[in-house]
Amino acid sequence: MRILLVEDDVAQLEPLQTALSQAGHIVDGVEDGAIAKWVICQRDYDLLILDWMLPEISGLDLCRQYRQAGKTAPVLMLTAKDTTLDKVTGLDAGADDYLVKPTDVFELLARVRALGRRSPLWQGETLQIADLQLHLSTLIVERGQATVELSAREFQLLEYLMRHPHQVLSRDQIEQALWEWGSEPESNATTTLVRRLRQRLQVVGAADWIETVYGIGYRINPEASKKLHP
């Protein structure tokens, strides 16, 4: 998943960002509420993790504004505010989950996995489209009796495509989803990555599922192979 982590304490931000990245997520770390608000307007996220007490704009106000804008991605409030009233206020502001600091990183990762399971494509520990399964904990793709293991970046691309089934995703959208905020991928990075993923998916007979929509971008479409091989 692509995650926005907003935490003004660098001593907490960096280890959490590292742990989430090592779990296979793409994480943008931000230390300021105003910057976080700007970033949210620029990019779509699968999950927001918000500290409550932030400079400029609080995490609570960010959450409220995010919901008022019609955004639906899950929000996890991560804060030292630990009273029952605090928790009720955070959840009523639009947060989907609430975790009190100090944070156990294993519990945080479990909460993130739980929020990720809200996808309608979720099938146990996998995402599934038609008979293609992506195992999220092992980075393995399975179809029928065939399996293939993906690299971290190939996994991130396939996960992103599968979480947006049949939706045409532009190169800009893919770059924003897969590369960290502030990084600048090479001009042919997406094309190269799509080609590598297709090569991997040949093993399970699904290379043609990554459909090129000329002039726009790519989408995952199980029916695409029928167009090529009617």
Side-chain angles (χ1 to χ4, degrees), residues 85-166:
L85 179 59
D86 291 334
K87 296 174 185 176
V88 170
T89 301
L91 294 170
D92 283 349
D96 298 88
D97 198 0
Y98 195 102
L99 189 57
V100 176
K101 298 178 182 178
T103 307
D104 183 303
V105 69
F106 294 104
E107 182 178 359
L108 174 64
L109 294 175
R111 300 284 187 110
V112 169
R113 289 194 297 272
L115 292 169
R117 288 197 289 269
R118 298 188 176 189
S119 168
L121 302 172
W122 179 263
Q123 301 286 330
E125 291 295 320
T126 70
L127 290 176
Q128 180 166 351
I129 293 180
D131 58 350
L132 184 73
Q133 295 182 321
L134 176 62
H135 297 273
L136 302 180
S137 60
T138 60
L139 315 191
I140 287 176
V141 176
E142 180 179 4
R143 185 177 181 226
Q145 300 300 313
T147 62
V148 62
E149 184 174 350
L150 304 179
S151 70
R153 188 60 93 189
E154 292 159 358
F155 163 78
Q156 290 165 352
L157 174 57
L158 184 57
E159 182 190 18
Y160 181 57
L161 292 170
M162 291 182 70
R163 288 188 184 277
H164 302 81
H166 307 289

Side-chain angles (χ1 to χ4, degrees), residues 57-75:
I57 301 174
S58 74
L60 190 69
D61 287 339
L62 271 177
C63 185
R64 286 188 177 125
Q65 293 173 18
Y66 187 72
R67 294 299 183 221
Q68 288 168 357
K71 302 281 190 177
T72 58
V75 174

